[in-house]
Amino acid sequence: MSNGPYGLIACDCGALSLLVGGSPLALGLDTGDEPVAFWPLAAIQIGQGADELDVSADDEGGDAWGCRRCGERLLYAHDGTGMAILQGHPEDRGDLAPGLTLSRQCTLEALGYRVLAGE
């Protein structure tokens, strides 16, 4: 992870936290029209509570990362795209990293996400 900007994501009980480095590749909406941000999977590190990390596979080829203790889901990782999908949009919405290829965008949209252009 670089020494650049980073964010901290923690579960409600505080047992698990993840560090997210850099900037999201794009912003979008999930299947329920809730805001999400698309990050490179390589930008995610465990901050604390590795023992509490629960990774559950799904039928779409991805994994839900959550807290074993409180059950809160922190992100969705999709190995096929190399992307991590986090709920919400970052506060600084003007700082998107270049790198969401058309192929990745098409794969995300096939999974039911809507990538927002120009955000």
Side-chain angles (χ1 to χ4, degrees), residues 31-119:
T31 56
D33 284 334
E34 295 296 320
V36 293
F38 304 105
W39 295 77
L41 194 51
I44 310 296
Q45 288 186 344
I46 298 173
Q48 74 174 20
D51 304 0
E52 301 299 336
L53 178 63
D54 178 51
V55 177
S56 303
D58 74 2
D59 295 336
E60 299 291 329
D63 298 310
W65 294 19
C67 177
R68 189 179 317 275
R69 191 177 295 177
C70 69
E72 182 181 359
R73 187 181 102 182
L74 299 179
L75 66 83
Y76 180 79
H78 193 270
D79 292 335
T81 62
M83 302 291 292
I85 297 101
L86 284 74
Q87 294 295 317
H89 287 161
E91 288 182 24
D92 182 6
R93 295 178 68 173
D95 189 22
L96 297 181
L100 185 62
T101 64
L102 182 58
S103 174
R104 278 182 167 172
Q105 181 174 341
C106 289
T107 302
L108 290 168
E109 289 175 351
L111 293 170
Y113 295 100
R114 191 166 35 145
V115 177
L116 300 176
E119 289 287 322

